[in-house]
Amino acid sequence: MKIIIAKNYQAMSKLAADLVIRELKEKRQTTLGLPTGSTPLGLYKNLAKACLGEKISFKEVKTFNLDEYAGLAKTDGSSYHSFMQNKLFNFIDIKAKNIFFPDGQAKNLRQAGAKYDSLIKKHHGLDLLILGIGLNGHIGFNEPGSDFNSKTRIVSLKEQTRRANAKYFAKAEDMPRQAITMGLATIMKARKIILLAAGAKKSAMVKQALTGKITKSAPASILQNHKNLTVILENKAAKDLMAVKPHNY
Ligand code: GLP
C-alpha cells in the first residue's frame, strides 16, 4: 500500500486527478469504478477541467458506479445517477452507453446484483476503482459486518450512514433504507484502487482501517490485502495515522 498525505483538500483532489489522468493517457479504454459522496467532488472538478482542456478524453472510457439507492428513480434528484450526472458526467465527453450503475429499481434486486458483476466481468474487470470511506469504515455501501466474499447485492443501511447521507435528501425520512452496492469481493478484484479520505471526522477510521486488524467490523480494512492500493489523505484525515507512524508509508 502506498499512502500519500496531501496538505489540503485541493492537493488531495489534484493528486488523485493526476493518477486518473495518467491512467487514461496510458489506456484510452480504461474501465473506471467511481464513488459518490463529498470526498471525490474536487477530483471530479479536476477531471472535468482536464477533459475541457482536451488533456484527456472519456470517449472510450467505461464507468461503473459503486452503488445506488434501492427504489429511487434514476431521475430523482437524490439518486446517485443524478449525483454523477450533475457532478461529473455533464462536464465530460463520456458516452451515455458507457455509464453503468447497479439497478436499484430492478424488480429482482438479487438478480440485479449478479447481473452487475457479470457486466463488470464482460468488460474485463475494473482497471481503476476510486473509493471514499464512510465514518463507520464502509466502502461503497458495504456496512460493518459485510462478508469479505460479498458480491454486488442489496444491503440495509446503518443508522449512522443514513444520518450522514440525510443531507442529500429534502427530508431525512425520504432516504431509502436499502441500497445496492458492489460487494467487497467485487471491489477487491479491481486491478488498482485509490482510496480517498478528507476531514478530521474520518481520521480515527482511516487509522483503524489501514493499520488495525482486518475485520468485518471495519470493511475498509480488507483493502490492506489489495496488491495495488494508493491511499490519498487530506492531512486532517491522516492525523491519527501519523501519530502511530506505520512503517509502510
Ligand atoms: C456514501 C457512499 C460511499 C462514500 C461515503 C462517504 O455512503 N456510498 O461510497 O464513500 O458515502 O461519503 P463522503 O465522501 O460524503 O464522506
Side-chain angles (χ1 to χ4, degrees):
M1 149 181 13
K2 186 173 173 191
I3 302 178
I4 304 170
I5 298 172
K7 65 175 191 286
N8 55 30
Y9 179 77
Q10 283 71 22
M12 180 201 79
S13 304
K14 172 83 169 52
L15 284 163
D18 288 347
L19 292 185
V20 178
I21 290 169
R22 194 203 299 166
E23 190 76 21
L24 261 56
K25 280 187 172 164
E26 272 168 23
K27 188 178 174 190
R28 280 180 297 147
Q29 295 169 334
T30 295
T31 302
L32 285 178
L34 297 176
T36 51
S38 50
T39 312
L41 289 176
L43 161 67
Y44 292 161
K45 276 198 178 145
N46 278 286
L47 292 179
K49 202 171 143 198
C51 189
L52 188 73
E54 294 180 13
K55 263 170 81 182
I56 46 167
S57 168
F58 288 82
K59 274 189 188 135
E60 293 178 58
V61 171
K62 298 193 174 67
T63 63
F64 284 85
N65 260 82
L66 273 165
D67 45 17
E68 179 56 286
Y69 289 110
L72 275 197
K74 290 178 190 174
T75 50
D76 188 300
S78 302
S79 73
Y80 281 168
H81 276 81
S82 296
F83 178 96
M84 290 305 297
Q85 209 59 51
N86 295 331
K87 305 297 180 193
L88 181 67
F89 298 147
N90 283 343
F91 309 105
I92 58 175
D93 57 353
I94 192 160
K95 294 180 179 146
K97 69 173 173 72
N98 289 338
I99 297 172
F100 301 95
F101 280 83
D103 185 358
Q105 283 199 296
K107 279 209 189 83
N108 185 331
L109 288 161
R110 243 186 93 126
Q111 266 176 19
K115 206 170 139 193
Y116 200 58
D117 281 332
S118 25
L119 205 60
I120 295 174
K121 205 168 160 194
K122 199 176 131 200
H123 288 90
H124 313 292
L126 303 173
D127 292 308
L128 172 62
L129 170 62
I130 321 284
L131 292 175
I133 182 170
L135 289 172
N136 61 9
H138 72 236
I139 44 178
F141 267 135
N142 292 282
E143 296 279 36
S146 294
D147 201 294
F148 289 147
N149 291 320
S150 55
K151 308 272 173 50
T152 302
R153 71 203 184 289
I154 181 88
V155 290
S156 294
L157 304 175
K158 301 269 187 212
E159 264 322 297
Q160 189 186 21
T161 302
R162 295 190 72 240
R163 274 198 304 275
N165 290 3
K167 59 177 182 259
Y168 295 109
F169 292 81
K171 284 184 276 159
E173 60 268 32
D174 290 347
M175 191 178 159
R177 294 183 177 274
Q178 292 191 310
I180 180 163
T181 181
M182 273 188 205
L184 291 172
T186 315
I187 287 174
M188 288 297 282
K189 275 195 196 132
R191 286 183 277 282
K192 285 186 199 167
I193 296 182
I194 297 176
L195 173 69
L196 302 176
K201 277 200 289 193
K202 301 279 172 77
S203 178
M205 183 43 76
V206 163
K207 176 190 153 197
Q208 188 190 338
L210 300 182
T211 66
K213 206 171 130 214
I214 300 179
T215 162
K216 288 205 271 184
S217 58
S221 62
I222 191 61
L223 297 173
Q224 290 181 37
N225 284 344
H226 196 273
K227 298 272 183 298
N228 195 331
L229 170 69
T230 303
V231 183
I232 311 179
L233 303 170
E234 180 207 8
N235 70 343
K236 286 186 209 142
K239 200 167 48 96
D240 290 81
L241 188 68
M242 285 195 280
V244 294
K245 294 195 176 66
H247 56 83
N248 53 355
Y249 271 39

